[in-house]
């Protein structure tokens, strides 16, 4: 009897949690098809708001800026973070704990503090040497700087689990540094590098606070564009349409990743009777 009541309570809590997670997204998607601009109840169905979003061009330009910034910064951040992780792994001197703390401290630092510090730093550079101008360049440098610790953490975790004899053997085979990187380090670290790149790209694409403080004219990324649209006009059906498109894109990528993972582990293989 008691186990039955506990099971019902557990199911109710699970359903409430799922509703708490998904109801806001469902409401946003539902009202993106609402014909009336300021409706509080669903009165019909239309795709006009999606057409206006695509015809306006502002969202697409902001999306392309976000993709350009995310891909470029993730590529450079992954490269620098991987070299930093290898350096940490090889370091045997004193003060390793302090060095690791310096590397990983930006991860726990609030974004608003990090964004303001980046903005002040770039302003001082501009004042003293006349470079750089606020824009995609400053945003890219800021994004790379906060991506590097995440990449270093992931790659270092992979290196810690690696047999040191493999590392020593690679060094004893008299391979050139480039040959060693191509034939040993990249194959060994490939899963960690791919995971690091995807995480760095996601962090860049999702970031608003640091981008806001380091952006300039002509460098409006998608999060800044959405924030500006809401600040000017409030939440409109066009905003709901933008959010719905992003939700759809994320779901599509997640489904593709799930499908590929299921195929890789054999869950989609035909069963023999």
């Amino acid at each position: 009897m008691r186990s039955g009541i506990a099971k019902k309570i557990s199911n109710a809590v699970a359903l409430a949690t799922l509703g708490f997670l998904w109801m806001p997204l469902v409401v946003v998607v539902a009202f993106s098809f609402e014909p009336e601009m300021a409706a509080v109840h669903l009165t019909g169905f239309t795709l006009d708001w999606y057409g206006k979003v695509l015809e306006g061009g502002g969202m697409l330009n902001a999306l392309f800026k976000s993709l350009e910034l995310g891909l470029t910064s993730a590529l450079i951040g992954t490269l620098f973070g991987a070299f930093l992780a290898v350096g940490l792994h090889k370091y045997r001197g004193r003060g390793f704990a302090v060095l690791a703390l310096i590397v990983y401290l930006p991860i726990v630092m609030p974004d608003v503090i990090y964004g303001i510090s980046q903005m002040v730093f770039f302003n001082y550079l501009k004042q003293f040497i006349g470079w750089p101008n606020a824009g995609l360049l400053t945003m890219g440098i800021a994004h790379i700087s906060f991506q590097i610790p995440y990449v270093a953490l992931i790659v270092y975790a992979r290196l810690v689990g690696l047999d040191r004899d493999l590392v020593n053997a690679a060094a004893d085979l008299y391979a050139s540094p480039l040959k060693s990187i191509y034939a040993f380090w990249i194959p060994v670290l490939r899963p960690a590098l791919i995971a690091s790149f995807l995480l760095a790209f996601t962090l860049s694409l999702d970031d608003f606070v640091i981008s806001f403080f380091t952006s300039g004219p002509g460098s409006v990324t998608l999060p800044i564009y959405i924030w500006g649209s809401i600040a000017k006009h409030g939440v409109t059906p066009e905003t709901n349409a933008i959010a719905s498109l992003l939700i759809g894109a994320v779901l599509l990528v997640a489904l593709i990743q799930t499908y590929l993972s299921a195929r890789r582990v054999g869950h989609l293989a035909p069963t023999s009777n």
Side-chain angles (χ1 to χ4, degrees):
M1 182 66 180
R2 288 183 178 178
S3 62
I5 294 176
K7 185 177 180 180
K8 289 181 180 179
I9 293 175
S10 175
N11 291 337
V13 171
L15 290 175
T17 304
L18 288 175
F20 179 75
L21 289 174
W22 282 95
M23 279 307 294
L25 301 179
V26 173
V27 169
V28 165
V29 174
F31 275 89
S32 70
F33 300 110
E34 166 58 39
E36 300 294 333
M37 172 70 80
V40 294
H41 303 288
L42 296 177
T43 61
F45 180 88
T46 181
L47 295 175
D48 291 348
W49 304 114
Y50 289 89
K52 289 185 178 180
V53 167
L54 299 178
E55 289 173 1
M59 189 206 74
L60 291 181
N61 290 332
L63 176 61
F64 289 143
K65 286 278 193 315
S66 288
L67 293 176
E68 178 185 359
L69 177 65
L71 291 173
T72 305
S73 63
L75 185 63
I76 300 174
T78 301
L79 182 65
F80 286 175
F83 279 116
L84 179 59
V86 173
L88 283 173
H89 185 253
K90 290 185 176 181
Y91 184 73
R92 291 292 178 270
R94 293 182 177 178
F96 177 82
V98 176
L99 181 61
L101 179 64
I102 293 173
V103 172
Y104 299 137
L105 192 58
I107 293 177
V108 297
M109 187 175 296
D111 283 354
V112 63
I113 302 299
Y114 200 77
I116 291 174
S117 65
Q118 292 280 344
M119 179 188 66
V120 171
F121 175 69
F122 290 133
N123 283 338
Y124 276 121
L125 278 182
K126 178 67 176 177
Q127 182 179 352
F128 287 109
I129 65 175
W131 180 89
N133 294 318
L136 277 181
L137 177 62
T138 53
M139 295 171 72
I141 295 173
H143 282 213
I144 291 169
S145 65
F146 74 71
Q147 290 167 348
I148 286 176
Y150 287 96
V151 175
L153 180 64
I154 295 173
V155 176
Y156 182 77
R158 169 64 177 159
L159 288 170
V160 168
L162 193 65
D163 189 349
R164 284 195 173 275
D165 291 338
L166 291 176
V167 179
N168 296 329
D172 292 340
L173 292 178
Y174 302 103
S176 65
L178 287 178
K179 183 70 175 179
S180 178
I181 292 173
Y182 173 76
F184 176 73
W185 288 109
I186 291 180
V188 167
L189 298 178
R190 183 181 291 122
L193 292 175
I194 293 174
S196 300
F197 175 82
L198 293 177
L199 177 61
F201 175 71
T202 303
L203 289 172
S204 174
L205 197 65
D206 187 54
D207 177 74
F208 168 75
V209 177
I210 296 175
S211 298
F212 181 78
F213 283 109
T214 56
S215 64
S219 59
V220 177
T221 57
L222 190 59
I224 297 177
Y225 177 84
I226 294 174
W227 178 84
S229 176
I230 294 175
K232 288 180 181 178
H233 311 294
V235 179
T236 65
E238 289 181 86
T239 307
N240 293 332
I242 294 172
S244 300
L245 289 173
L246 292 176
I247 293 170
V250 172
L251 283 177
L252 180 62
V253 172
L255 288 174
I256 293 174
Q257 193 274 337
T258 303
Y259 173 76
L260 294 177
S261 298
R263 283 195 58 182
R264 186 168 59 249
V265 299
H267 288 169
L268 296 181
T271 56
S272 58
N273 295 324

Short mmCIF file of all heavy atoms in Angstrom, two decimals, residues 160-187:
data_model
loop_
_atom_site.label_atom_id
_atom_site.label_comp_id
_atom_site.label_asym_id
_atom_site.label_seq_id
_atom_site.Cartn_x
_atom_site.Cartn_y
_atom_site.Cartn_z
N VAL A 160 45.22 12.74 -18.02
CA VAL A 160 45.43 12.10 -16.71
C VAL A 160 45.13 10.61 -16.79
O VAL A 160 45.80 9.79 -16.16
CB VAL A 160 44.55 12.79 -15.64
CG1 VAL A 160 44.53 11.98 -14.35
CG2 VAL A 160 45.07 14.19 -15.36
N GLY A 161 44.12 10.26 -17.59
CA GLY A 161 43.77 8.85 -17.73
C GLY A 161 44.62 8.10 -18.74
O GLY A 161 44.38 6.91 -18.98
N LEU A 162 45.59 8.76 -19.33
CA LEU A 162 46.42 8.15 -20.35
C LEU A 162 47.64 7.48 -19.72
O LEU A 162 48.22 8.01 -18.77
CB LEU A 162 46.87 9.23 -21.34
CG LEU A 162 47.51 8.77 -22.65
CD1 LEU A 162 46.48 8.00 -23.48
CD2 LEU A 162 48.01 9.97 -23.43
N ASP A 163 48.01 6.34 -20.25
CA ASP A 163 49.19 5.62 -19.76
C ASP A 163 50.44 6.44 -20.07
O ASP A 163 50.71 6.77 -21.23
CB ASP A 163 49.27 4.26 -20.44
CG ASP A 163 50.36 3.38 -19.82
OD1 ASP A 163 51.16 3.91 -19.02
OD2 ASP A 163 50.40 2.18 -20.13
N ARG A 164 51.20 6.77 -19.03
CA ARG A 164 52.39 7.59 -19.23
C ARG A 164 53.43 6.89 -20.10
O ARG A 164 54.27 7.54 -20.72
CB ARG A 164 53.01 7.97 -17.89
CG ARG A 164 52.25 9.05 -17.17
CD ARG A 164 53.09 9.64 -16.05
NE ARG A 164 52.39 10.77 -15.49
CZ ARG A 164 52.45 11.99 -15.97
NH1 ARG A 164 53.18 12.24 -17.04
NH2 ARG A 164 51.80 12.97 -15.40
N ASP A 165 53.42 5.56 -20.12
CA ASP A 165 54.38 4.84 -20.97
C ASP A 165 54.16 5.16 -22.45
O ASP A 165 55.11 5.20 -23.24
CB ASP A 165 54.24 3.33 -20.75
CG ASP A 165 54.72 2.92 -19.37
OD1 ASP A 165 55.51 3.68 -18.78
OD2 ASP A 165 54.30 1.85 -18.89
N LEU A 166 52.89 5.39 -22.82
CA LEU A 166 52.61 5.77 -24.21
C LEU A 166 53.22 7.12 -24.54
O LEU A 166 53.80 7.32 -25.61
CB LEU A 166 51.10 5.80 -24.44
CG LEU A 166 50.36 4.46 -24.42
CD1 LEU A 166 48.86 4.69 -24.56
CD2 LEU A 166 50.87 3.57 -25.55
N VAL A 167 53.09 8.05 -23.60
CA VAL A 167 53.66 9.38 -23.82
C VAL A 167 55.18 9.30 -23.92
O VAL A 167 55.80 9.89 -24.82
CB VAL A 167 53.25 10.33 -22.68
CG1 VAL A 167 53.85 11.70 -22.89
CG2 VAL A 167 51.74 10.41 -22.58
N ASN A 168 55.80 8.53 -23.01
CA ASN A 168 57.25 8.40 -23.04
C ASN A 168 57.71 7.66 -24.29
O ASN A 168 58.75 8.00 -24.87
CB ASN A 168 57.72 7.64 -21.79
CG ASN A 168 57.41 8.40 -20.52
OD1 ASN A 168 57.39 9.63 -20.53
ND2 ASN A 168 57.18 7.69 -19.43
N ALA A 169 56.96 6.65 -24.73
CA ALA A 169 57.34 5.93 -25.95
C ALA A 169 57.29 6.83 -27.16
O ALA A 169 58.17 6.79 -28.03
CB ALA A 169 56.40 4.74 -26.14
N ALA A 170 56.27 7.67 -27.24
CA ALA A 170 56.17 8.60 -28.37
C ALA A 170 57.36 9.56 -28.38
O ALA A 170 57.86 9.94 -29.44
CB ALA A 170 54.86 9.38 -28.28
N ALA A 171 57.82 9.96 -27.19
CA ALA A 171 58.95 10.88 -27.13
C ALA A 171 60.28 10.18 -27.45
O ALA A 171 61.23 10.82 -27.91
CB ALA A 171 59.03 11.51 -25.74
N ASP A 172 60.35 8.86 -27.22
CA ASP A 172 61.61 8.13 -27.44
C ASP A 172 61.79 7.63 -28.87
O ASP A 172 62.81 7.01 -29.18
CB ASP A 172 61.67 6.92 -26.50
CG ASP A 172 61.81 7.37 -25.06
OD1 ASP A 172 62.23 8.53 -24.85
OD2 ASP A 172 61.49 6.57 -24.15
N LEU A 173 60.80 7.82 -29.73
CA LEU A 173 60.89 7.30 -31.09
C LEU A 173 61.51 8.29 -32.06
O LEU A 173 61.46 8.08 -33.27
CB LEU A 173 59.49 6.88 -31.58
CG LEU A 173 58.90 5.67 -30.85
CD1 LEU A 173 57.51 5.37 -31.35
CD2 LEU A 173 59.80 4.44 -31.02
N TYR A 174 62.05 9.37 -31.55
CA TYR A 174 62.77 10.37 -32.35
C TYR A 174 61.91 10.98 -33.45
O TYR A 174 62.41 11.39 -34.50
CB TYR A 174 64.03 9.75 -32.97
CG TYR A 174 64.97 9.19 -31.93
CD1 TYR A 174 65.05 7.82 -31.72
CD2 TYR A 174 65.75 10.04 -31.14
CE1 TYR A 174 65.89 7.30 -30.75
CE2 TYR A 174 66.59 9.52 -30.17
CZ TYR A 174 66.66 8.15 -29.98
OH TYR A 174 67.49 7.65 -29.02
N ALA A 175 60.63 11.03 -33.23
CA ALA A 175 59.76 11.69 -34.20
C ALA A 175 59.89 13.21 -34.03
O ALA A 175 60.11 13.70 -32.93
CB ALA A 175 58.31 11.26 -34.00
N SER A 176 59.74 13.94 -35.13
CA SER A 176 59.76 15.40 -35.05
C SER A 176 58.53 15.87 -34.29
O SER A 176 57.54 15.13 -34.16
CB SER A 176 59.76 16.00 -36.46
OG SER A 176 58.56 15.68 -37.11
N PRO A 177 58.55 17.10 -33.77
CA PRO A 177 57.36 17.58 -33.03
C PRO A 177 56.10 17.52 -33.87
O PRO A 177 55.04 17.12 -33.37
CB PRO A 177 57.75 19.02 -32.69
CG PRO A 177 59.25 19.01 -32.62
CD PRO A 177 59.68 18.04 -33.67
N LEU A 178 56.18 17.89 -35.16
CA LEU A 178 54.99 17.85 -36.01
C LEU A 178 54.52 16.41 -36.22
O LEU A 178 53.32 16.12 -36.20
CB LEU A 178 55.28 18.50 -37.36
CG LEU A 178 55.40 20.03 -37.34
CD1 LEU A 178 55.74 20.55 -38.74
CD2 LEU A 178 54.11 20.67 -36.85
N LYS A 179 55.48 15.50 -36.43
CA LYS A 179 55.12 14.09 -36.61
C LYS A 179 54.50 13.53 -35.35
O LYS A 179 53.54 12.74 -35.40
CB LYS A 179 56.39 13.29 -36.96
CG LYS A 179 56.13 11.81 -37.26
CD LYS A 179 55.39 11.64 -38.56
CE LYS A 179 55.26 10.16 -38.91
NZ LYS A 179 54.52 9.96 -40.17
N SER A 180 55.04 13.92 -34.20
CA SER A 180 54.49 13.46 -32.93
C SER A 180 53.06 13.94 -32.73
O SER A 180 52.20 13.19 -32.28
CB SER A 180 55.38 13.94 -31.77
OG SER A 180 54.83 13.55 -30.54
N ILE A 181 52.82 15.22 -33.08
CA ILE A 181 51.46 15.77 -32.94
C ILE A 181 50.49 15.04 -33.86
O ILE A 181 49.38 14.67 -33.46
CB ILE A 181 51.48 17.29 -33.24
CG1 ILE A 181 52.24 18.04 -32.14
CG2 ILE A 181 50.05 17.82 -33.36
CD1 ILE A 181 52.44 19.50 -32.44
N TYR A 182 50.93 14.82 -35.13
CA TYR A 182 50.05 14.21 -36.13
C TYR A 182 49.79 12.73 -35.84
O TYR A 182 48.66 12.24 -35.98
CB TYR A 182 50.68 14.39 -37.51
CG TYR A 182 49.94 13.66 -38.61
CD1 TYR A 182 48.74 14.17 -39.11
CD2 TYR A 182 50.44 12.47 -39.14
CE1 TYR A 182 48.06 13.51 -40.11
CE2 TYR A 182 49.76 11.80 -40.14
CZ TYR A 182 48.57 12.32 -40.62
OH TYR A 182 47.90 11.66 -41.61
N ALA A 183 50.85 12.00 -35.46
CA ALA A 183 50.73 10.54 -35.35
C ALA A 183 50.33 10.07 -33.95
O ALA A 183 49.86 8.95 -33.80
CB ALA A 183 52.06 9.89 -35.75
N PHE A 184 50.54 10.91 -32.93
CA PHE A 184 50.24 10.44 -31.57
C PHE A 184 49.21 11.31 -30.86
O PHE A 184 48.15 10.82 -30.46
CB PHE A 184 51.53 10.40 -30.74
CG PHE A 184 51.29 10.02 -29.31
CD1 PHE A 184 50.97 8.71 -28.96
CD2 PHE A 184 51.36 10.97 -28.30
CE1 PHE A 184 50.72 8.36 -27.65
CE2 PHE A 184 51.12 10.63 -26.98
CZ PHE A 184 50.81 9.32 -26.66
N TRP A 185 49.52 12.60 -30.70
CA TRP A 185 48.69 13.42 -29.85
C TRP A 185 47.28 13.59 -30.40
O TRP A 185 46.29 13.49 -29.66
CB TRP A 185 49.34 14.80 -29.64
CG TRP A 185 50.54 14.74 -28.76
CD1 TRP A 185 51.83 14.90 -29.13
CD2 TRP A 185 50.55 14.49 -27.36
NE1 TRP A 185 52.67 14.77 -28.06
CE2 TRP A 185 51.91 14.51 -26.95
CE3 TRP A 185 49.58 14.24 -26.40
CZ2 TRP A 185 52.30 14.30 -25.63
CZ3 TRP A 185 49.96 14.03 -25.08
CH2 TRP A 185 51.30 14.06 -24.72
N ILE A 186 47.14 13.87 -31.70
CA ILE A 186 45.80 14.09 -32.26
C ILE A 186 44.94 12.83 -32.18
O ILE A 186 43.78 12.89 -31.74
CB ILE A 186 45.90 14.62 -33.70
CG1 ILE A 186 46.45 16.06 -33.69
CG2 ILE A 186 44.53 14.58 -34.39
CD1 ILE A 186 46.58 16.67 -35.06
N PRO A 187 45.46 11.63 -32.59
CA PRO A 187 44.61 10.42 -32.45
C PRO A 187 44.23 10.12 -31.00
O PRO A 187 43.09 9.73 -30.72
CB PRO A 187 45.49 9.31 -33.03
CG PRO A 187 46.41 10.00 -33.97
CD PRO A 187 46.70 11.32 -33.34
#
